[in-house]
Amino acid sequence: MSRVRTQVGIIGAGPAGLLLSHLLHLEGIDSVVLEARSRVYVERRVRAGVVEQPSADLLREVGLADRMDKEGLPHHGFSLRFDREDHRIPLTELTGSAITVYGQQEIVKDLIQARLAAGGDIRFEVSDVAVHDVETDRPRITFDGGELECDVIAGCDGFHGVSRGTIPVAVLKTFQQDYPFAWLGLLAKAEPSHEELIYTSHERGFALHSMRSPEVTRLYLQVDPDERIEDWSDDRVWDELHLRLETDDGFELNEGPVIEKGITPMRGFVAEPMRYGRLFLAGDAAHIVPPTGAKGMNLAIADVLVLSRALAALLHKGETELVESYSDTCLRRVWRAQGFSNHMTTMLHRAPGAEDYQHRLQLSQLRYTATSSAAATSLAENYVGLPF
């Protein structure tokens, strides 16, 4: 077994783990990133596509935004579609900020390239990862054929990773909200049908029109959580999208070859605390939000920014204040994002078996949001991202 000494062992090469490694490198702190999947897999794994203003500003600040600024799509508003018409939320007019549509997998590519160019140590296809001795000042990570001796371990390995399970049940509290619907996502080689995102409330269920580039459209449909993707032919998906997205002013949905199709469950999840000894959780390892609010990747970015500052204070100066407040600091933002995402989800989705009373409450909230400057500003402020 090979033994390697590093300051920070990072489990997971998603946006959280890779950005943390980059931020630590800028602070002069060594790290090793361990990833169970191949580089090809993580660079092709399609996930989030909305980058909040604070996240985009941070990527620019740390030298990771060249391709995002060249290929990303800045959006200064989005539409709430209901009653068969659009009601635009002017994000920049209301907040002075915007969002950028740029795929999570593209950020991962940029991070991997930057880390490898700087001599970073990223190990793909690592198996049998286990965490040890996190209650000491010399925690360890073992894996097939090797061991990392660390000062700190960062668990950035997602909802199903090994890190969170290391925290004793008596210490860890978990909170979960399962929603009675799922999203069927479609990636199509088709020019987007609208210049901005469209969040649609329809009597048949929610639909979302998004994009990844001027040539690729990302679309979502609300479906039952027990639906099988095999039962949704491309033609059936397109027919349902046309039905839910149609408007009285003649909106036309562009179709194209389907690149990818899948069903994702909807849940909210938070683990507290996000730190146990020298183990720190970040990103999906600590929290999951329903995707309606576009917060998942942005919360991961916020987590590792806080963590990088805390670890710099600990490892350079021996100061523990930021380390000790890490969990509380992150969780304040996490719970605000949970609240906003739940608000967007319940406002836009048709719950199975919901009575007309509930549907009319949703329409009332949508109409209020679309006509009240105060309500629209609150939504916009949360959507573009609260300051770090």
Side-chain angles (χ1 to χ4, degrees):
M1 176 181 289
S2 64
R3 287 182 172 82
V4 176
R5 179 81 178 93
T6 191
Q7 289 174 285
V8 182
I10 301 173
I11 307 173
L18 292 168
L19 180 57
L20 177 60
S21 180
H22 182 78
L23 294 173
L24 293 174
H25 168 70
L26 297 179
E27 295 281 359
I29 296 171
D30 295 330
S31 66
V32 175
V33 181
L34 304 177
E35 168 58 46
R37 303 283 192 167
S38 69
R39 177 177 178 180
V40 171
Y41 180 89
V42 299
E43 289 187 338
R44 292 182 179 176
R45 180 171 48 192
V46 177
R47 292 290 186 270
V50 170
V51 185
E52 293 177 350
Q53 184 75 61
S55 298
D57 290 343
L58 175 65
L59 293 175
R60 295 184 182 105
E61 181 183 334
V62 298
L64 294 169
D66 287 352
R67 201 160 65 91
M68 180 187 72
D69 286 336
K70 185 182 298 183
E71 301 176 14
L73 305 175
H75 283 211
H76 300 282
F78 69 83
S79 289
L80 292 177
R81 181 170 291 183
F82 60 94
D83 291 339
R84 297 176 60 84
E85 63 178 307
D86 282 340
H87 307 264
R88 186 171 185 267
I89 304 298
L91 299 172
T92 305
E93 178 183 323
L94 293 170
T95 68
S97 298
I99 56 119
T100 301
V101 174
Y102 187 62
Q104 174 176 309
Q105 74 275 16
E106 303 304 324
I107 291 176
V108 166
K109 291 175 188 175
D110 296 340
L111 282 162
I112 289 174
Q113 182 177 358
R115 292 303 301 121
L116 295 179
D121 192 342
I122 308 173
R123 305 187 183 196
F124 295 99
E125 300 183 80
V126 174
S127 60
D128 298 328
V129 173
V131 175
H132 311 271
D133 303 333
V134 296
E135 295 180 82
T136 75
D137 60 2
R138 285 293 182 269
R140 299 178 296 118
I141 306 172
T142 57
F143 54 95
D144 185 23
E147 178 178 286
L148 282 182
E149 298 176 349
C150 320
D151 294 314
V152 168
I153 296 173
C156 306
D157 48 347
F159 183 76
H160 299 289
V162 302
S163 299
R164 190 175 66 251
T166 303
I167 302 177
V169 174
V171 174
L172 191 70
K173 294 181 179 179
T174 60
F175 307 84
Q176 184 158 325
Q177 168 71 47
D178 293 312
Y179 292 88
F181 33 75
W183 273 15
L184 190 158
L186 186 77
L187 197 66
K189 192 169 180 55
E191 181 181 347
S193 309
H194 193 270
E195 65 272 14
E196 295 178 336
L197 278 69
I198 306 169
Y199 288 82
T200 303
S201 175
H202 189 273
E203 62 183 11
R204 294 179 62 86
F206 170 79
L208 171 61
H209 170 279
S210 182
M211 64 283 292
R212 287 295 179 268
S213 74
E215 298 82 30
V216 176
T217 301
R218 185 69 162 162
L219 299 148
Y220 294 96
L221 283 172
Q222 174 189 342
V223 298
D224 290 338
D226 57 354
E227 289 277 2
R228 300 187 316 145
I229 194 64
E230 296 81 10
D231 295 333
W232 283 86
S233 66
D234 293 354
D235 287 342
R236 183 186 177 191
V237 175
W238 285 117
D239 288 347
E240 193 66 27
L241 284 165
H242 279 286
L243 189 61
R244 298 189 196 183
L245 289 169
E246 66 183 1
T247 63
D248 288 335
D249 62 2
F251 171 81
E252 294 186 5
L253 178 65
N254 297 327
E255 294 188 19
V258 175
I259 303 170
E260 181 181 288
K261 186 168 57 179
I263 294 177
T264 303
M266 300 277 284
R267 70 163 67 94
F269 174 85
V270 180
E272 297 184 4
M274 291 172 57
R275 172 208 171 199
Y276 179 67
R278 289 292 182 102
L279 170 66
F280 298 81
L281 304 180
D284 287 359
H287 41 73
I288 299 286
V289 288
T292 327
K295 292 289 168 247
M297 177 179 65
N298 294 290
L299 279 180
I301 290 172
D303 287 348
V304 298
L305 176 61
V306 175
L307 183 54
S308 67
R309 292 169 174 170
L311 295 183
L314 175 69
L315 299 176
H316 285 322
K317 304 176 183 178
E319 297 176 354
T320 61
E321 181 179 356
L322 294 180
V323 162
E324 291 168 355
S325 64
Y326 166 73
S327 183
D328 289 341
T329 300
C330 291
L331 285 169
R332 283 196 292 272
R333 190 181 192 92
V334 168
W335 280 112
R336 175 80 295 272
Q338 291 283 346
F340 174 69
S341 298
N342 180 73
H343 170 71
M344 289 282 285
T345 300
T346 55
M347 180 173 67
L348 290 161
H349 290 70
R350 192 74 183 267
E355 301 294 334
D356 287 343
Y357 179 85
Q358 295 298 325
H359 184 50
R360 281 166 169 73
L361 287 179
Q362 288 177 306
L363 285 175
S364 175
Q365 181 62 51
L366 285 163
R367 290 167 182 158
Y368 173 63
T369 303
T371 57
S372 164
S373 176
T377 300
S378 176
L379 187 150
E381 181 181 62
N382 281 272
Y383 193 83
V384 300
L386 301 174
F388 286 148

